[in-house]
Amino acid sequence: MNNWFECKVKYVKVDEVSGKEKKVSEPYLVDAMSFTEAEARIHKELEQMISGEFNVTNISKSNITELYPNDNGDRWFKAKVAFIDVDEASGKEKKSNNYMLAQANNVKQAYEFLEECLSDMIVPYEIPAVSESPIMDIFPFFSDEVNEEIPENLKPVSEIEPNDNEFE
């Protein structure tokens, strides 16, 4: 389960068209366990991307529950997805809203891509809203970043033979 934090970062950026410097405030999404870790991670990630100083001006817990990256998309779109459940006692429909990000080039592509990604869902759902998100970039946590050494007395599972009697 991901814990997404939205981090707003303020820095001086050179305008690509005019070549002039301007102050910008941009939101980024970071996967972290706490506000402290989110701040540390956003600093680590942006130090590689932004030349010069930058300030993290705000960190808030995000309501994003799922991400759907798409190599063909260049922007993130936020979608409100309502999962529909029927209350057995009263027989009334109950909707549970979730917010998801889908990567696409426009709203129509984002909607269609999300429909494709959710097509194998068993629970009925509807997508009442899709809009472009201001999120500039997303930094998920990758467990393969951890580079732990395997102790000498252990061997990888891939090297264990099926009839290995070492444990008898």
Side-chain angles (χ1 to χ4, degrees):
M1 172 108 177
N2 300 84
N3 292 310
W4 295 106
F5 290 86
E6 187 173 317
C7 300
K8 288 199 177 156
V9 178
K10 199 175 267 192
Y11 66 99
V12 176
K13 182 179 189 176
V14 176
D15 188 278
E16 294 174 4
V17 179
S18 67
K20 294 182 180 179
E21 290 184 345
K22 65 178 183 175
K23 284 188 177 181
V24 294
S25 181
E26 297 176 335
Y28 294 88
L29 205 61
V30 177
D31 184 14
M33 296 302 292
S34 67
F35 286 89
T36 305
E37 183 186 0
E39 184 174 17
R41 290 208 56 226
I42 196 67
H43 273 279
K44 180 183 173 193
E45 296 290 347
L46 293 184
E47 282 173 352
Q48 302 167 24
M49 295 170 53
I50 298 174
S51 60
E53 291 186 23
F54 62 89
N55 291 319
V56 178
T57 58
N58 189 30
I59 299 175
S60 59
K61 191 93 168 96
S62 176
N63 61 358
I64 300 297
T65 57
E66 283 294 326
L67 290 182
Y68 293 99
N70 180 357
D71 292 335
N72 298 325
D74 62 352
R75 294 176 300 212
W76 289 98
F77 292 83
K78 187 174 185 176
K80 178 180 179 180
V81 179
F83 291 102
I84 303 164
D85 191 20
V86 177
D87 184 4
E88 291 180 21
S90 66
K92 292 184 179 183
E93 273 190 3
K94 186 174 127 184
K95 293 182 181 180
S96 171
N97 293 325
N98 285 284
Y99 296 91
M100 302 175 183
L101 287 180
Q103 203 170 14
N105 294 314
N106 57 48
V107 172
K108 183 179 183 225
Q109 285 180 0
Y111 180 86
E112 290 170 351
F113 180 62
L114 200 54
E115 278 282 341
E116 182 184 320
C117 292
L118 298 174
S119 64
D120 60 350
M121 295 288 289
I122 298 171
V123 178
Y125 67 90
E126 58 185 43
I127 304 172
V130 178
S131 61
E132 187 171 352
S133 168
I135 300 290
M136 297 302 292
D137 207 351
I138 294 175
F139 302 107
F141 180 82
F142 297 106
S143 58
D144 61 342
E145 288 177 0
V146 178
N147 188 13
E148 292 184 39
E149 294 279 326
I150 298 174
E152 289 180 23
N153 64 332
L154 300 177
K155 59 181 167 179
V157 174
S158 61
E159 294 178 11
I160 296 176
E161 296 292 324
N163 294 328
D164 197 349
N165 295 329
E166 184 175 317
F167 299 108
E168 291 181 1

